[in-house]
Amino acid sequence: MLRRKAWRGRGADATAGDDPLDEAQERRVRAVLALGGVPQADLPDGVQQVRLRLLERAASGREAPRDVSAWAAVVASNLAMDWHRSRRRQERVGERLASLRQPAHDSGEDTSLLSLAVARGLDELPDAQRQVLVLRFYADLPVRSIADELGIPEGTVKSRLHTAVRALRVRLHEDEVV
């Protein structure tokens, strides 16, 4: 079954049953969804979809993922790609950035401009390139894990990363941000 040891220790906090995602995993899923282009208003639904898929996996008798956090990040990334296919990017980049900002951090104007430029650059990347870029550099997954979870060769992951980074770098130079 799912990793019970990760669920233990919640005591009275787990009123409606055990939650398959801890707080850190949920934040990571939210961030991957947001970076993947899902609007802030749809983030709770995306997190619930990841939970549902994890619970369905357990209910079907399949073995729990070796790394629940990595598995959840990949599922969130796939959900974000699905959202793009069905909704055709209805929300603006600014809403995604606002959903990721930490209220405790007061970012300067330069950081805000860079964040906006990076978000716009991510928005212009093809879905497959954006997916591996977010999984590698935001979710901090190694190339091997990304390849395993997406079911593609490591070389394909590396190629997509290289192409995506190069395109993002060109975009940032065009916008004269870096």
Side-chain angles (χ1 to χ4, degrees):
M1 294 271 54
L2 295 175
R3 301 180 185 214
R4 295 265 181 223
K5 62 184 173 192
W7 293 354
R8 290 186 185 145
R10 295 190 182 180
D13 293 339
T15 55
D18 290 327
D19 189 347
L21 297 176
D22 64 28
E23 289 181 35
Q25 292 165 335
E26 182 176 335
R27 281 193 307 272
R28 188 180 207 187
V29 165
R30 281 179 165 278
V32 168
L33 288 168
L35 286 169
V38 176
Q40 186 174 6
D42 292 339
L43 292 179
D45 291 337
V47 172
Q48 288 302 91
Q49 283 293 321
V50 172
R51 278 191 178 100
L52 178 63
R53 291 188 185 181
L54 193 54
L55 291 171
E56 286 173 342
R57 181 182 176 111
S60 70
R62 287 185 284 165
E63 187 176 320
R66 284 181 300 203
D67 183 353
V68 174
S69 188
W71 183 89
V74 170
V75 169
S77 179
N78 287 335
L79 286 171
M81 287 179 63
D82 291 346
W83 183 88
H84 274 287
R85 288 183 188 121
S86 66
R87 304 245 175 119
R88 298 288 182 218
R89 300 178 184 168
Q90 296 172 355
E91 296 295 320
R92 293 182 7 204
V93 172
E95 292 176 3
R96 291 196 326 247
L97 292 175
S99 71
L100 294 176
R101 275 206 185 108
Q102 298 287 356
H105 295 104
D106 183 33
S107 61
E109 186 175 325
D110 291 340
T111 304
S112 296
L113 289 174
L114 180 61
S115 296
L116 185 59
V118 168
R120 284 185 179 151
L122 282 172
D123 212 23
E124 292 175 357
L125 291 174
D127 291 341
Q129 290 177 12
R130 181 177 47 252
Q131 182 181 34
V132 295
L133 194 73
V134 168
L135 290 172
R136 176 65 188 105
F137 295 111
Y138 184 79
D140 199 29
L141 296 180
V143 170
R144 174 171 276 162
S145 293
I146 295 169
D148 290 345
E149 293 295 336
L150 295 179
I152 59 177
E154 286 183 46
T156 302
V157 173
K158 291 176 184 178
S159 173
R160 288 178 185 173
L161 279 171
H162 176 78
T163 304
V165 168
R166 187 176 59 214
L168 196 54
R169 185 178 293 128
V170 166
R171 170 62 193 232
L172 294 176
H173 284 291
E174 285 175 358
D175 290 348
E176 298 179 359
V177 176
V178 290

